Amino acid sequence: SSGINAEYGGIIATANFLDYGCRREVFSLLDDFTDKKVEKDSESQDVDDEIAKEIAELKAEKKRFQIVDTTLNNMMFIAVFDDTIEVCQLVHNILSNLREKKERKTRFLQRIIPVSNTCYASVEDIKKTALEMIKDTFYNKTPKTFGIIFKSRNNSSVSRDEVIKIVATVATDGDTYSEFNKVNLDNPEYAIIINIVKTITFMGVVKDFKLLCRYNVDELTKNYAASIKPQNEAAD
């Protein structure tokens, strides 16, 4: 598919090199961690019904994740069309599992960043979307820390300082929750990640940003034993 827009969430993946290798690795991880086991209703179920059900499930699987062309080298966006998938939690689960099991399953994938909300790259849209994204987590009296991670590619319409100031204001609701929501750039409990690509802003809130090496899969797993399947090696 071609053309990014502000209609869906998903996952940003960056590659060290070889986009096709990165793409294969991302989809392999997604398949591993979103495997939906099919429960058989009963042994007496009609065979034709069972086959039809499996075909429908295969078609649905293909539609869950779709590559969207960013036209940028070494960066891809995978749109997620399954409402049951919470992308920030999914990516956290993937990275936490790799860290826990000390597994290296990738060679070309560098960073994997979840995107829960998207909007056009304007200050007003970013402010509105940030509010929608964080209010449930941030607008309470539970002490927490946060940091804002900003990156812009091929865009000059909004500045880094402008966006960070706006989102920080939203995170504290002006001064209403500033006593409870404190900035911590070194090791925040929540990292608000903002990526602007051309005219689109991709946003997400993640946990364990420092622990999981800033969601850099390559850095996180560089000292782990490889668990890449031999046939994948041969295909390179």
Side-chain angles (χ1 to χ4, degrees), residues 26-52:
V26 171
F27 275 89
S28 176
L29 287 173
L30 292 175
D31 287 344
D32 285 348
F33 284 85
T34 58
D35 184 24
K36 294 182 175 180
K37 303 299 182 184
V38 180
E39 294 184 6
K40 306 299 181 185
D41 294 334
S42 67
E43 292 184 8
S44 62
Q45 187 175 25
D46 187 270
V47 173
D48 288 340
D49 289 344
E50 188 66 32
I51 292 172

Side-chain angles (χ1 to χ4, degrees), residues 12 16 33-34 45 54 85 105 107 125 146 154 188 199 208:
I12 290 174
N16 288 323
F33 284 85
T34 58
Q45 187 175 25
E54 289 184 8
I85 295 176
K105 293 186 174 183
R107 289 170 55 196
D125 278 3
F146 72 94
N154 292 19
T199 61
D208 296 322

